[in-house]
């Protein structure tokens, strides 16, 4: 009775910890505008090989812009957001012929809240 209850509780706690870690990792990826694939295989990707991962992603444009693009991609950008922000597509991003997002590489950037320069 009690042993099964404790084992079930431990299993639930283990799953909650795993989901929390996954949510934190993907929140970090959204804030830095990096995909899971780019994060794991940075040095194997042709367009990222020459970029130092410590300096940030060449696709990152700051915390606010990264989260806006993550939560509201240009293709699904509501009209009111376009009016408030002026546009949903930045100077380094445009829409391709099939409606896909096309990014241009920019200088590496780590959003200030996530960089170590605040603590140095």
């Amino acid at each position: 009775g009690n042993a099964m209850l404790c084992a079930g509780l431990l299993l639930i706690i283990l799953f909650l910890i795993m989901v929390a870690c996954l949510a934190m990792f993907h929140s970090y990826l959204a804030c830095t505008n990096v995909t899971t694939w780019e994060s794991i295989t940075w040095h194997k990707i042709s367009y990222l090989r020459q970029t130092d991962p410590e300096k940030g992603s060449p696709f990152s444009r700051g915390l606010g812009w990264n989260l806006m693009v993550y939560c509201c991609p240009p293709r699904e950008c509501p009209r009111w957001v376009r009016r408030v922000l002026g546009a949903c597509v930045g100077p380094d991003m445009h829409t391709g012929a099939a409606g896909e997002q096309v990014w241009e590489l920019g200088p590496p950037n780590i959003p200030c809240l996530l960089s170590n320069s605040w603590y140095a």
Side-chain angles (χ1 to χ4, degrees), residues 26-44:
H26 283 285
S27 296
Y28 170 79
L29 293 178
C31 290
T32 57
N33 204 11
V34 175
T35 64
T36 308
W37 177 62
E38 290 170 342
S39 172
I40 294 171
T41 59
W42 189 282
H43 294 292
K44 294 179 182 180

Side-chain angles (χ1 to χ4, degrees), residues 8-22:
L9 187 58
L10 285 175
L11 188 62
I12 289 172
I13 290 172
L14 176 68
F15 282 130
L16 284 176
I17 291 171
M18 289 170 48
V19 169
C21 290
L22 186 65

Side-chain angles (χ1 to χ4, degrees), residues 68 72-88:
M68 198 254 338
C72 181
R75 193 170 186 185
E76 288 94 29
C77 187
R79 186 170 290 145
W80 69 270
V81 174
R82 275 184 261 155
R83 265 184 278 141
V84 170
L85 298 175
C88 284

